[in-house]
């Protein structure tokens, strides 16, 4: 197992710019393009996509722009995303002490990670993190949206919603802690079909229906855990953005769906 102190970026130059100046400018431009939000509530959690920025960047930015008023208050981020490269049964933690991007290193919350080790679905697996983009692509957004913060990265494999919810409960904290779930929606459907499927998935998430399937969202396992926890804590979901790769940079014959949500204590309807 790789026990390097810092997990280096794996998809810089592919999913997002490799040069720090270009990366900061790209993220800042995506955030600046998001319409101002009227919400007065600090999101406890967000769901945001994890494709290349040219495809899902606008949707991801909609989630991160909602954090702007609380950039100094949020000091800890629990980031959960699906495993694309390594099969994991349960939830994998790294042994690293920091995760790096071209914008610099983010320290991990080592005491929080150690406190999770005793939970049944948790394992330590650096291979699950080494090449995983579902977590990495969120880091530059967090670095540009927040001031100093620590990170708790969790690569979620096949895990029951109750197990994911138990991990989130252990990490819940107060206003200093943000939960981020990384997920795209449907994959490689024709545009019209994808809009129907993704619309149904969005409605289920807004209803806190913790029965999302991986075919509906690649991050279904962490999403379902968040939805259970959101019900328990009386959170309400808001849809911030929805689109697919055909709207941004891809063709419309085989699209990938994206959506951004915020979860906070009050109903905005």
């Amino acid at each position: 197992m790789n026990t390097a102190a810092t997990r280096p970026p794996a998809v810089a130059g592919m999913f997002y710019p490799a040069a720090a100046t270009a990366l900061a400018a790209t993220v800042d431009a995506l955030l600046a393009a998001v319409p101002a939000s009227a919400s007065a509530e600090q999101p406890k959690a967000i769901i945001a996509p994890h494709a290349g920025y040219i495809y899902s960047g606008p949707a991801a930015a909609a989630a991160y722009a909602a954090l702007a008023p609380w950039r100094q208050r949020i000091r800890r981020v629990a980031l959960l995303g699906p495993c694309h490269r390594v099969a994991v049964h349960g939830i994998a933690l790294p042994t690293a002490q920091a995760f790096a991007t071209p914008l610099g290193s983010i320290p991990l919350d080592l005491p929080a990670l150690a406190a999770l080790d005793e939970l049944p679905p948790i394992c330590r697996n650096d291979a699950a993190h080494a090449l995983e983009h579902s977590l990495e692509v969120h880091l530059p957004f967090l670095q540009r949206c927040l001031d100093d913060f620590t990170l708790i990265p969790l690569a979620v494999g096949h895990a029951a919603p109750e197990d994911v919810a138990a991990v989130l409960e252990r990490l819940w904290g107060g206003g200093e802690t943000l939960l981020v779930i990384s997920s795209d929606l449907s994959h490689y459907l024709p545009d019209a079909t994808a809009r129907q499927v993704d619309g149904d998935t969005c409605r289920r998430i807004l209803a806190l229906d913790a029965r999302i399937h991986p075919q509906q969202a690649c991050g279904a396992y962490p999403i379902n855990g968040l939805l259970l926890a959101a019900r328990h804590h009386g959170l309400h979901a808001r849809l911030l953005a929805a689109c697919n790769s055909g709207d941004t940079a891809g063709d419309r014959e085989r699209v990938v769906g994206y959506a951004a949500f915020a979860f906070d204590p009050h109903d905005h309807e």
Side-chain angles (χ1 to χ4, degrees), residues 72-165:
Q72 293 181 325
R73 186 180 187 197
I74 298 169
R75 305 302 299 272
R76 185 173 75 150
V77 177
L79 174 59
L80 292 78
C83 301
H84 290 84
R85 299 273 190 163
V86 174
V88 171
H89 184 76
I91 301 172
L93 309 183
T95 64
Q97 298 180 16
F99 273 33
T101 80
L103 300 180
S105 292
I106 304 168
L108 302 194
D109 185 337
L110 301 181
L113 289 168
L116 295 178
D117 280 327
E118 65 188 51
L119 296 179
I122 296 294
C123 64
R124 295 279 182 159
N125 187 336
D126 285 314
H129 286 272
L131 299 176
E132 184 53 62
H133 67 272
S134 73
L135 304 182
E136 181 180 330
V137 297
H138 291 278
L139 302 182
F141 277 102
L142 289 165
Q143 288 172 300
R144 297 302 291 174
C145 288
L146 303 180
D147 291 340
D148 293 337
F149 69 97
T150 58
L151 181 70
I152 305 165
L154 301 104
V156 182
H158 194 284
E162 295 80 8
D163 287 340
V164 177

Side-chain angles (χ1 to χ4, degrees), residues 201-244:
T201 302
C202 288
R203 286 188 289 272
R204 289 177 180 271
I205 292 172
L206 290 171
L208 306 184
D209 181 353
R211 295 176 293 177
I212 307 299
H213 296 287
Q215 294 83 1
Q216 297 171 294
C218 58
Y221 294 118
I223 286 175
N224 287 334
L226 173 64
L227 297 180
L228 280 185
R231 278 185 175 273
H232 177 71
H233 285 272
L235 302 185
H236 296 268
R238 291 182 285 137
L239 178 63
L240 302 175
C243 65
N244 65 47

